[in-house]
Amino acid sequence: MKKNSVLKCLMPLLATVLLASCKDSLPQPDFTKDTPIVELPTASLAGNGGGNSMDVKAAVQATPYDYYIYVNYAAPNANPADVAVTMAVDTAVLNKFNKANGKSYPLLPAADYTLSNKITIPAGERKVKYPIKFNTNLMDPKVTYALPLKIVDASGVTVSGNFGTLNLLVNAK
């Protein structure tokens, strides 16, 4: 019985020593050496090579429907200067997405949305809202459209290879 009691006391101590010794053998990654990138973050990467997408369920209304996505400066430290980001609607992004996913989403007609091709991530900031206005009263509610966005320039900062494009799958309800 005494032997059992000693083992019960030593087990937590032994576990602590073992876990503490593992800490040094698995050092934390050093993110301070990472190159900054600009990206359009999404909840998850599609993983099939077709690019990322987000569903947008927009209410049908007489005035434009306001929607926002984020443009992110991903780096260990905040950006030291303003980062001017140039965006574009790119049909090649949509074609790649449709092919990889076996879909045929039509391009959202230009009259159905308004967006700026430029946005600035201010110095010291990590992300900024990128506004898009959808003219839902012009959309066919039976159709899910795609608005394929691509970061084409980021003031010399690297554009993410995984999150540099985004297909917004827009449906007016």
Side-chain angles (χ1 to χ4, degrees):
M1 180 98 73
K2 189 175 186 182
K3 183 178 177 183
N4 213 9
S5 173
V6 170
L7 283 176
K8 284 183 182 179
C9 290
L10 287 177
M11 288 304 281
L13 179 63
L14 182 60
T16 302
V17 169
L18 286 173
L19 289 174
S21 68
C22 292
K23 180 181 157 207
D24 294 334
S25 65
L26 298 172
Q28 294 297 313
D30 182 5
F31 292 113
T32 61
K33 295 181 172 110
D34 286 353
T35 303
I37 62 170
V38 174
E39 63 184 358
L40 301 170
T42 60
S44 64
L45 181 63
N48 63 3
N52 302 307
S53 67
M54 288 175 59
D55 290 331
V56 179
K57 304 295 184 210
V60 175
Q61 55 192 42
T63 59
Y65 179 86
D66 292 322
Y67 189 78
Y68 300 92
I69 60 171
Y70 284 98
V71 178
N72 188 43
Y73 178 86
N77 300 308
N79 54 325
D82 288 357
V83 177
V85 179
T86 305
M87 303 282 289
V89 174
D90 189 334
T91 56
V93 170
L94 175 58
N95 293 338
K96 183 178 178 183
F97 180 81
N98 278 338
K99 183 176 181 182
N101 292 289
K103 301 291 184 180
S104 58
Y105 292 111
L107 178 66
L108 183 65
D112 294 1
Y113 65 91
T114 305
L115 53 80
S116 172
N117 289 343
K118 300 266 187 194
I119 192 155
T120 300
I121 304 172
E125 298 291 322
R126 293 191 180 275
K127 65 182 176 181
V128 64
K129 284 183 176 181
Y130 179 68
I132 304 168
K133 292 186 179 288
F134 292 109
N135 299 317
T136 54
N137 60 335
L138 301 177
M139 295 180 197
D140 181 347
K142 296 178 206 148
V143 177
T144 298
Y145 299 94
L147 181 60
L149 300 173
K150 179 179 183 176
I151 300 172
V152 294
D153 184 60
S155 300
V157 178
T158 301
V159 175
S160 173
N162 291 330
F163 294 100
T165 64
L166 177 63
N167 286 285
L168 293 177
L169 305 178
V170 184
N171 188 265
K173 295 279 181 190

